[in-house]
Amino acid sequence: MIEIENVTKRYGDNTVVDDVSLRVEKGQVAVIVGTSGSGKTTLLRMVNRLVEPSEGRILINGHDTRDMPAYQLRRKIGYAIQGHGLFPHRTVAENIATVPHLAGWDRARIDTRVDELLSLFQLEPRHYRDRHPVQLSGGEQQRVGVARALAAEPDVLLMDEPFGALDPIIRAKAQDDLLDIQRKTGVTVLLVTHDMDEAMRLGDLIAVMAEGKVVQYADPATLLVKPATDFVDNLVGTADRPFRLLSLRKVDDVMEPGGADGGEPVQPSTSLREAYANMLWQGREALPVVDASGAAIGQVRLAAISRLAARPA
Ligand SMILES: Nc1ncnc2c1ncn2[C@@H]1O[C@H](COP(=O)(O)OP(=O)(O)OP(=O)(O)O)[C@@H](O)[C@H]1O
């Protein structure tokens, strides 16, 4: 759990983070969004004390982060950044082992952990362990960067635009992988991004920052239907609002009995945004829903989807 309490950062007369309070419960993913220069990175870096707050305090699992030396704190908090920050002259295994090594883990435990993480990130240990970062694709480097951040089994993972350098398809995969790994490890995540779609996809909660302040901290659906200010309203994108609402819901939420009259089937886990796009593309008012084995289990109708895309009364 991360508790940020009335935290302010000043550089001279310039207040770049202004009296921010946020709480991220254990196992939650909280995303910080906002315009360039609004203080997102500064706020994130105060959590692992790469930047020291001018005022306020930050607690991790109830402990004040100032109660231990900063270098020790940073070994307990994973940190992944855009561009991955891998050491170019170290192998993949050495990169991942950085913090466990500093923390004095023995060789066998480190080796086991490295292989476990490589497997978790779908990088076959035998093939990847001894490569250097330059011998990896951008997406693979990104996965090694996150694996390194998770190596010492941190309770908290900080991520600053971790997927910023990836192309859209690899990026979507990296986002899915993060959610999967987050569920498997239960790690608490605080992530900075410029990309509202990414924020909506990943965040249990989203903090919107403007000029050093958090102007709204809420779940994605609340940001869309009850933006606290015009700035939040603009940021969530008026034209995209219905589609973003649909992307938060699944076919399962509106599935009805009965069989649709033809059309490419969808699954209960398909997002309503995707189901809607499929219907428009196929020119159909309804699509069949099938389970993982391909057996028909119901239908999803355009009318039901449209109701969920509308602003709640
Ligand atoms: N070390 C520093 N000294 C002085 N000013 C700084 C320092 N670090 C950051 N700032 C200023 O603090 C403000 C917030 O910077 P920060 O990097 O936190 O913003 P951001 O929201 O992450 O921006 P971006 O999205 O562009 O990365 C900026 O105006 C920046 O110039």
Side-chain angles (χ1 to χ4, degrees), residues 138-278:
E140 288 166 347
Q141 287 183 33
Q142 187 276 334
R143 277 181 274 164
V144 173
V146 181
R148 185 178 62 175
L150 291 171
E153 298 168 350
D155 290 331
V156 168
L157 175 60
L158 307 178
M159 307 182 92
D160 197 346
E161 296 273 2
F163 311 127
L166 304 179
D167 70 56
I169 292 173
I170 306 281
R171 187 172 179 138
K173 169 85 170 68
Q175 291 165 348
D176 285 345
D177 286 349
L178 173 66
L179 287 179
D180 193 36
I181 281 157
Q182 193 279 329
R183 276 190 287 265
K184 282 182 185 146
T185 59
V187 66
T188 307
V189 180
L190 186 60
L191 178 146
V192 166
T193 181
H194 274 99
D195 177 351
M196 190 47 97
D197 281 319
E198 180 163 286
M200 298 257 157
R201 187 167 178 160
L202 297 177
D204 296 307
L205 289 166
I206 299 175
V208 180
M209 287 192 77
E211 295 171 4
K213 286 186 180 295
V214 169
V215 291
Q216 189 166 11
Y217 185 45
D219 63 89
T222 303
L223 280 191
L224 286 164
V225 300
K226 286 190 187 144
T229 64
D230 288 346
F231 175 76
V232 178
D233 202 13
N234 272 325
L235 202 71
V236 294
T238 319
D240 292 331
R241 260 184 324 214
F243 309 110
R244 287 192 164 135
L245 264 182
L246 291 181
S247 69
L248 300 174
R249 309 288 292 265
K250 308 260 180 244
V251 164
D252 203 22
D253 297 339
V254 289
M255 192 170 76
E256 298 172 40
D261 186 16
E264 273 290 304
V266 291
Q267 297 208 343
S269 60
T270 306
S271 84
L272 287 184
R273 185 177 186 155
E274 196 180 325
Y276 180 63
N278 288 350

Side-chain angles (χ1 to χ4, degrees), residues 10 66 78 95 124 135 153 189 200 212 255:
R10 286 186 214 91
R66 292 169 302 189
N95 265 284
E124 168 59 44
Q135 297 168 303
E153 298 168 350
V189 180
M200 298 257 157
M255 192 170 76

